[in-house]
């Protein structure tokens, strides 16, 4: 799921909030704020996944889980949309969409399905690229969102339209599970919002006043999360089911879609307010968050399959803290350069053998090379 200062078309847009360019061309200056935001968001994703086997025994933990689920993926998706603004149907961008999103989806959907089948001794688990399992739904969604970006950029009021589509999806149980379209459609407004944002919008929330105001907002959110634990179905925050499938009346779907959109944006703004703007020790890890996202799921599922979370001490406060720290550390390691080099073949394959050379792209690369030589010659 970021360079805030560059207008569309003047930087190489990452394919998702976790991908970095893998070419020989020198990279443009990265904005530390967005790399920091990506890293902190992926840490929250990993921690929240590690809480799933434990939260049933702790109302406090489930309340925190609910609050984190309100904003961690929306923040990721907003940033993805923001850096999709320059996407068009240019051949080189379509190629990066295939190699950076579609190919990792095929690889990891297959890998997760096989891991479920043999690790969990579940012979009924088939490999189905039409039915994303666990984490891989995000790659399907990103592929669809990114591919439709030129269409969203052509609409006069794209965000209200996207919200309308999400509200309709929330009352349409017949959509089914193919390509996890419920999630694709219900999370769509966050991506479209990112497309509509400009650098000044991020600067508005990166102020001291917003940072101070975010403290009571987060405190109130935690209190509401704790209160809502026995009163609200957490599945609303996953955006993967219609209202009818959650046992609610149809009208609850549009109401919850709008309510969660508002709450998510508020907490996402508070999250961005506390993201450091300067280079930190973890800033460089922001370029590897795709790796952390796709790989940490194997650790979470291994814990489920092999009973790692069944130990009684893990279901007490100190155990919950230890699990949280352990998964935060694990996803940090999975974002590092050695891990990126090890798995780049699956997540950022160049696949030059599969594509024709685009004359326009070759011309652009020659122009870039000439511009880079000019200062040296001078």
């Amino acid at each position: 799921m970021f360079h805030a200062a560059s207008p569309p078309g003047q930087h190489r847009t990452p394919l998702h909030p976790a991908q970095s360019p893998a070419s020989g061309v020198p990279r443009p200056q990265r904005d530390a704020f967005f790399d920091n935001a990506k890293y902190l968001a992926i840490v929250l994703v990993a921690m929240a996944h590690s809480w799933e086997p434990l939260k049933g025994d702790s109302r406090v933990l489930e309340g925190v889980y609910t609050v984190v689920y309100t904003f961690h993926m929306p923040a990721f998706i907003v940033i993805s949309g923001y850096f999709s603004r320059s996407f068009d149907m240019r051949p080189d961008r379509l190629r990066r969409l295939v190699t950076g999103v579609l190919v990792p989806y095929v690889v990891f959907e297959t890998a997760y399905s096989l891991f479920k089948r043999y690790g969990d001794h579940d012979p009924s688990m088939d490999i189905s690229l039409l039915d994303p399992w666990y984490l891989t739904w995000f790659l399907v969604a990103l592929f669809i969102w990114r591919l439709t970006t030129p269409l969203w950029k052509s609409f006069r009021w794209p965000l209200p339209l996207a919200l309308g589509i999400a509200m309709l999806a929330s009352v349409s149980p017949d959509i089914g599970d193919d390509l996890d379209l419920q999630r694709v459609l219900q999370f769509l407004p966050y991506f479209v919002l990112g497309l509509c944002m400009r650098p000044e919008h991020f600067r508005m929330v990166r102020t001291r006043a917003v940072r101070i105001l975010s403290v009571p907002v987060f405190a109130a959110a935690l209190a509401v999360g704790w209160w809502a634990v026995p009163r609200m179905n957490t599945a609303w925050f996953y955006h993967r089911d219609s209202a009818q499938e959650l046992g609610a009346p149809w009208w609850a779907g549009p109401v919850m879609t709008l309510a969660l959109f508002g709450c998510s944006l508020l907490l996402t703004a508070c999250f961005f307010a506390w993201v450091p703007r300067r280079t930190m020790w973890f800033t460089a890890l922001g370029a590897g968050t795709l790796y952390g996202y796709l790989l940490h799921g194997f650790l979470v599922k291994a814990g489920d399959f092999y009973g790692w979370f069944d130990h009684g001490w893990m279901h007490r406060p100190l155990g919950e803290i230890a699990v949280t720290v352990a998964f935060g550390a694990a996803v940090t390691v999975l974002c590092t350069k050695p891990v990126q080099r090890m798995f780049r073949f699956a997540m950022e394959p160049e696949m030059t053998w599969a594509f024709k050379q685009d004359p326009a792209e070759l011309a652009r690369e020659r122009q870039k090379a000439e511009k880079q030589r000019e200062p040296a010659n001078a």
Side-chain angles (χ1 to χ4, degrees):
M1 76 75 169
F2 306 135
H3 309 283
S6 301
Q10 293 188 10
H11 58 80
R12 180 174 179 178
T13 305
L15 287 171
H16 36 65
Q19 185 174 355
S20 59
S23 68
V25 180
R27 304 184 185 197
Q29 183 65 38
R30 301 182 69 94
D31 189 320
F33 168 79
F34 287 102
D35 278 331
N36 293 339
K38 289 187 297 177
Y39 168 75
L40 295 173
I42 200 61
V43 168
L44 289 174
V45 168
M47 288 178 172
H49 284 156
S50 75
W51 296 338
E52 288 175 359
L54 309 176
K55 64 185 179 66
D57 297 322
S58 171
R59 183 172 177 175
V60 171
L61 185 62
E62 187 157 3
V64 175
Y65 173 91
T66 299
V67 172
V68 170
Y69 255 82
T70 305
F71 73 89
H72 70 355
M73 284 310 297
F76 233 72
I77 295 167
V78 166
I79 296 175
S80 297
Y82 178 73
F83 279 96
S84 296
R85 295 172 302 154
S86 62
F87 181 83
D88 52 28
M89 294 299 177
R90 213 170 71 183
D92 60 320
R93 288 174 176 155
L94 287 173
R95 184 166 66 246
R96 289 200 297 272
L97 182 62
V98 170
T99 59
V101 177
L102 187 59
V103 170
Y105 169 67
V106 172
V107 171
F108 279 88
E109 175 62 23
T110 301
Y112 271 110
S113 298
L114 292 174
F115 189 51
K116 167 71 172 171
R117 181 167 187 163
Y118 295 106
D120 198 27
H121 306 290
D122 182 5
S124 65
M125 184 65 182
D126 295 323
I127 298 173
S128 174
L129 298 181
L130 294 178
D131 187 12
W133 187 71
Y134 197 38
L135 299 175
T136 56
W137 72 268
F138 179 69
L139 294 178
V140 172
L142 187 58
F143 184 82
I144 295 173
W145 296 333
R146 181 64 58 84
L147 202 60
T148 59
T149 290
L151 182 63
W152 291 109
K153 289 164 60 179
S154 70
F155 288 128
R156 190 181 298 273
W157 299 291
L159 185 56
L161 179 59
L163 277 169
I165 291 173
M167 292 164 67
L168 287 173
S170 71
V171 298
S172 305
D174 292 337
I175 287 178
D177 296 327
D178 289 351
L179 298 180
D180 223 341
L181 281 178
Q182 278 288 359
R183 272 177 166 161
V184 173
L185 298 177
Q186 291 193 37
F187 275 115
L188 174 64
Y190 302 99
F191 182 82
V192 174
L193 174 64
L195 288 176
C196 299
M197 294 185 72
R198 295 293 179 266
E200 55 267 24
H201 296 137
F202 287 96
R203 287 195 290 268
M204 287 171 62
V205 300
R206 293 157 59 179
T207 63
R208 179 180 175 84
V210 176
R211 196 176 305 120
I212 293 173
L213 287 173
S214 68
V215 175
V217 170
F218 264 123
L222 290 170
V224 172
W226 180 87
W227 173 86
V229 167
R231 298 174 174 86
M232 183 177 177
N233 188 345
T234 308
W236 284 107
F237 297 90
Y238 303 149
H239 297 284
R240 68 185 178 198
D241 299 297
S242 65
Q244 295 92 323
E245 291 171 305
L246 295 176
W250 70 267
W251 55 263
V255 171
M256 288 299 294
T257 297
L258 290 176
L260 289 177
F261 185 73
C263 293
S264 296
L265 291 191
L266 178 62
L267 293 183
T268 297
C270 293
F271 168 70
F272 285 150
W274 279 95
V275 171
R277 289 173 286 181
R278 64 185 184 280
T279 300
M280 309 290 289
W281 66 265
F282 53 79
T283 301
L285 300 176
T289 46
L290 174 67
Y291 296 81
Y293 177 79
L294 289 175
L295 293 172
H296 87 274
F298 288 105
L299 297 178
V300 177
K301 287 303 176 183
D304 284 339
F305 299 162
Y306 305 127
W308 297 350
F309 296 106
D310 294 341
H311 300 286
W313 66 270
M314 286 189 175
H315 295 258
R316 293 189 284 271
L318 288 179
E320 293 163 359
I321 293 172
V323 170
T324 301
V325 172
F327 273 86
V331 77
T332 298
V333 172
L334 294 176
C335 293
T336 58
K337 291 292 184 183
V339 175
Q340 292 180 46
R341 287 193 293 269
M342 187 181 305
F343 290 96
R344 183 163 287 132
F345 74 94
M347 300 190 196
E348 299 180 84
E350 294 190 8
M351 295 181 61
T352 53
W353 54 269
F355 299 96
K356 296 179 181 179
Q357 284 191 323
D358 178 30
E361 183 182 0
L362 292 175
R364 285 191 295 270
E365 290 179 354
R366 284 196 296 269
Q367 290 177 353
K368 288 180 181 178
E370 290 172 0
K371 288 181 180 179
Q372 290 161 11
R373 284 196 296 267
E374 286 175 0
N377 295 334

